[in-house]
Structures are given as structure tokens and as C-alpha cells.
Amino acid sequence: MFTHAIVRTPGKSMVNGLTTAHLGPPDYAKALLQHGDYIQALEECGLDVVVLPPDERFPDSTFVEDVALLTKHCAIITNPGAPSRRGETAAIKKVLLGFYEKIEEVQPPGTVEAGDIMMVGTHFFIGLSERTNEEGARQVIAYLEKYGLSGSVVSLEKVLHLKTGVAYLENDNLLACGEFLTKEAFQHFNILEVPEDESYAANSVWVNGVVLTPSGYPKTRALIEAAGYTVREVDVSEFRKLDGGLSCLSLRF
Ligand code: CIR
């Protein structure tokens, strides 16, 4: 169970965020409303939400999930693979010092974005992507092992981050689509297959028994409900325009 979340309100500079989506620039006013509803959804799941102010210096800084990996025993500050995002880590470290005694940091030449890391109990799957390299994954695994946790790597071929295409919903259930349906490492899970035309909804998040999903993906919603979960939809269309999903918008711990 999680008790806390950290989010960062998007800044106006979000319109300059990194993207490959070709969906046009985000509407800032709409993004703020959607972010507010996202916070409300986390609160409905029982979380105490720390809301950080916009940081205009970093257009992608609302995607806080990428800059830290939070575990029960330690926090690991990442070193984002995207150069424009590297400066985001300092501010998150300051916030995490208020919650964690043990804070580790990924050092260059290692790069890691925690959107590439999926927690399954005490094990962490780490996607090797354009943002997370082998050296970064090696450092994360070494830190995890120091605290009695474990990690392993999964290579990605098509998507930005591991969790762009896969989400662990606890109870052995894995929501997955595309290249992740056939990955050897995931075959022992009960795979809930997200249809290709709803692939964006594979980035859903389990929060204390409720699954937050992006709104507008009815087949995926039905699939998750059929597996026994309560679903809470959140409209994140403006964040999708920056390749961002639901999970990227918070750190949960
Ligand atoms: C980026 O390209 O870094 C941002 N525009 C989106 C990051 C999304 N984060 C995630 O999937 N974990």
C-alpha cells in the first residue's frame, strides 16, 4: 500500500516539452485542470499528495516519476537520459530528503529514467531504452541489492519507457501491450492484453486497490474491471501530447 505521492504542477513551459507524439502542443489551462483531477484521484486512493510548484526551467518537470525510484528502503535519484531533463533531479532530491534517510544517485555515464522501472514486490524490472542505458541499470541493480531488493533488465524496441507499454497491477496481473506481450520475462504473469488501438492505456497505475486509467479507453477499462479492480479514469490528454502517461505524473510511496 502507498501512503504518499509527489507531483509537480506543470509550468507554462510545458509547451516546449520533449515529444514524438505529433498531437500538437498541449493546452496549458486544460493541463492544469487535468493535473488537478489527477491529484484528486490520488487523494481518493488515500494518498497524502505533496504538490510541488511549477518549475519553468524544465518543460518536462511535471513528469516526476522519471527522476527518482522510490522503494521501501531507499530512494534512488536517476540521471535522465534526456539532457534537457538532467537538471530536474536536484529539486526532487531536496524534497526526498524530507522522507528518506537513504538516498542513492545514479552517476554518469549511467543514465536512467524511472519510467523505465517497474516494481513487482521486491523485484524491479528495468527497461533498456534510449533514456536508460546498461551502465545506469547496473548501478540501480547494485543499489537495490544493497538494500535486499533485486533488479533485472528488459530490452525495449519500440516505446519510450518500459511503463509506456506495461503496468503491474499487483496480484500477479500485468497489463501489457505490443512488444511486451511476448517478452520471456513476463510470461509467468497473468497478462491482461491491451488492444493495440488502445495502447496508450497500458500506462495505467495501481494505487491501493484502485486502477487509475486514462479516460477514453473503454476496452481496457472493461478488461481491468473484469479482473476485479475498481477503475478511476483520469483525463490526461494534454500530457499525452508530450508522450507522458498517468504513471509519469507522480512518485508513489
Ligand atoms: C519526455 O520525453 O521525457 C517527456 N516529454 C515525457 C516523459 C514521460 N515519462 C514517462 O513515460 N515515464
Side-chain angles (χ1 to χ4, degrees), residues 5-157:
I6 297 170
V7 302
R8 184 181 292 286
T9 305
K12 292 192 182 79
S13 65
M14 78 181 291
V15 295
N16 300 317
L18 298 171
T19 183
T20 58
H22 303 296
L23 293 170
D27 176 325
Y28 182 57
K30 204 168 163 188
L32 283 179
L33 288 174
Q34 293 180 347
H35 199 256
D37 186 46
Y38 182 80
I39 292 168
Q40 192 179 321
L42 293 173
E43 288 174 345
E44 286 167 17
C45 296
L47 302 191
D48 189 357
V49 184
V50 176
V51 183
L52 305 176
D55 188 342
E56 298 292 354
R57 296 170 302 162
F58 301 108
D60 285 302
S61 55
T62 192
F63 301 113
V64 285
E65 180 183 59
D66 293 322
V67 291
L69 175 68
L70 303 186
T71 78
K72 287 256 179 290
H73 308 290
C74 66
I76 303 174
I77 308 290
T78 67
N79 179 35
S84 66
R85 301 202 57 189
R86 297 216 173 118
E88 293 175 28
T89 55
I92 286 291
K93 185 179 172 187
K94 266 193 206 152
V95 176
L96 291 175
L97 281 167
F99 292 97
Y100 280 88
E101 275 175 25
K102 308 282 184 193
I103 298 191
E104 309 286 356
E105 291 182 62
V106 174
Q107 305 293 342
T111 65
V112 173
E113 293 186 6
D116 274 320
I117 306 183
M118 180 173 73
M119 178 175 77
V120 177
T122 57
H123 188 78
F124 293 76
F125 289 96
I126 306 172
L128 296 178
S129 68
E130 286 187 7
R131 304 286 183 88
T132 297
N133 65 17
E134 283 188 33
E135 170 57 18
R138 188 196 65 72
Q139 290 181 30
V140 169
I141 292 170
Y143 288 139
L144 291 170
E145 289 177 350
K146 181 171 158 187
Y147 295 96
L149 306 166
S150 60
S152 58
V153 296
V154 180
S155 55
L156 313 191
E157 280 110 51

